[in-house]
Amino acid sequence: MEDRLRLLYSLQKIDSSLDELRDLKGDLPKIVADLVQKVKERIGEKHALEETVKAALVRRDATDTEILSLREKAEKYKTQQFEVKTNRQYDMLAREIDAAQEAVARMTKELELLEGRATVARDDAARLVPEIETLEGELADQRNQLEAVNKEHEEEELKLKHEREKIVVRIKPADLTMYERIRKAKDGRAVVAVKRRACGGCYNRVPPQKVLELRKNDMFMTCERCGRILVSDEITEAASPI
Ligand SMILES: [Zn+2]
């Protein structure tokens, strides 16, 4: 039993040190992740706008070609009108010419719309360029800061994680589950020492009878107020320094 308490206390010490390291990084990991997402979104928007420009231009060119061919056709009909023998043929050609001219007018309007659409999309895409550059600069800055913090504590962090792995395999699964549950609920601190007859977590007074029992190190005892696992000085003093 004493071993089980000792292992949990050691685990707590390691986790507290790892928590401290994580706090040193502060918001940097989240800031970096958010910026990565933002840059990705803006680049996606820019890409979509460029595709709009491309599609509008392809349609504009096709419309342009069509207009040219309709005009040619109209000219050809006009020439033919001089050569026809009957009024009926003449009228038929006149109707064809009208139809071609109407189509040209309609397509010319469409052409303007397509050009307008391409211009708007091109301008919007261009506006995104400096925004993306600013975001990328910011991302590089924050990334450098995070890397510097990571590098500074890399060795310590690796050592702690390694120690943690070694300890975790020796802890009973049920004990570990209990530890993780309390740790999650209690601000990362599941195992605390009793100092001057008070809980090291919430500073609530621990009754003398409980302090005496605690010293036997033969069962899990929790603080009546905060529910954290209490350990005796014997356990804390025996714990290897990390
Ligand atoms: Zn407490």
Side-chain angles (χ1 to χ4, degrees):
M1 186 65 211
E2 212 177 308
D3 251 6
R4 285 165 73 186
L5 287 166
R6 208 165 272 155
L7 285 169
L8 280 190
Y9 182 73
S10 298
L11 182 63
Q12 177 67 71
K13 271 183 83 177
I14 291 171
D15 280 340
S16 294
S17 302
L18 282 168
D19 287 348
E20 269 172 41
L21 287 182
R22 191 201 54 213
D23 288 348
L24 281 175
K25 292 178 198 172
D27 292 337
L28 280 172
K30 193 185 175 311
I31 290 172
V32 167
D34 287 351
L35 280 168
V36 167
Q37 182 61 25
K38 248 189 217 167
V39 168
K40 205 174 132 196
E41 279 169 17
R42 293 294 175 276
I43 288 175
E45 277 169 37
K46 185 169 162 275
H47 187 70
L49 287 165
E50 283 162 354
E51 288 300 310
T52 304
V53 174
K54 246 190 242 167
L57 292 183
V58 166
R59 271 187 65 192
R60 182 202 63 184
D61 289 348
T63 310
D64 218 11
T65 310
E66 192 134 350
I67 288 173
L68 277 180
S69 101
L70 281 167
R71 277 192 180 135
E72 270 170 30
K73 233 185 240 174
E75 286 308 312
K76 207 174 78 195
Y77 293 146
K78 276 179 193 164
T79 320
Q80 284 172 3
Q81 272 183 326
F82 291 113
E83 294 157 6
V84 294
K85 306 275 185 308
T86 65
N87 277 345
R88 203 176 143 260
Q89 282 173 319
Y90 186 90
D91 290 346
M92 214 178 74
L93 284 169
R95 278 197 297 276
E96 291 289 345
I97 291 166
D98 279 352
Q101 279 169 346
E102 266 168 40
V104 166
R106 198 184 63 237
M107 284 183 180
T108 307
K109 248 182 219 162
E110 203 185 317
L111 200 76
E112 282 166 17
L113 283 175
L114 287 166
E115 271 174 358
R117 190 182 298 163
T119 307
V120 169
R122 197 186 286 122
D123 289 352
D124 286 348
R127 259 195 292 277
L128 282 171
V129 173
E131 196 184 330
I132 290 170
E133 277 171 9
T134 308
L135 283 170
E136 278 174 339
E138 224 174 290
L139 174 60
D141 268 4
Q142 301 286 349
R143 228 179 217 155
N144 284 342
Q145 281 187 45
L146 179 60
E147 264 167 34
V149 178
N150 278 341
K151 211 173 168 187
E152 204 182 331
H153 303 284
E154 207 174 28
E155 220 173 291
E156 197 183 348
E157 196 172 343
L158 277 176
K159 191 177 148 227
L160 285 166
K161 282 182 176 165
H162 183 61
E163 288 294 325
R164 191 181 197 280
E165 277 168 26
K166 282 200 300 192
I167 286 178
V168 161
V169 293
R170 293 168 58 200
I171 297 175
K172 283 177 187 282
D175 291 0
L176 191 62
T177 304
M178 171 182 66
Y179 167 84
E180 297 288 7
R181 180 176 50 78
I182 302 174
R183 192 170 127 77
K184 207 170 154 194
K186 295 292 165 188
D187 227 9
R189 294 180 67 212
V191 185
V192 293
V194 173
K195 293 236 167 76
R196 287 189 212 99
R197 293 185 179 166
C199 162
C202 70
Y203 308 109
N204 192 44
R205 206 173 108 70
V206 179
Q209 183 58 36
K210 206 165 180 174
V211 175
L212 282 177
E213 279 175 40
L214 197 68
R215 286 191 186 136
K216 292 184 198 155
N217 302 318
D218 61 359
M219 60 193 282
F220 282 120
M221 295 184 84
T222 52
C223 168
E224 280 162 24
R225 189 201 267 174
C226 70
R228 291 183 177 96
I229 300 160
L230 300 171
V231 289
S232 67
D233 288 345
E234 207 182 329
I235 299 290
T236 61
E237 279 156 19
S240 57
I242 289 151

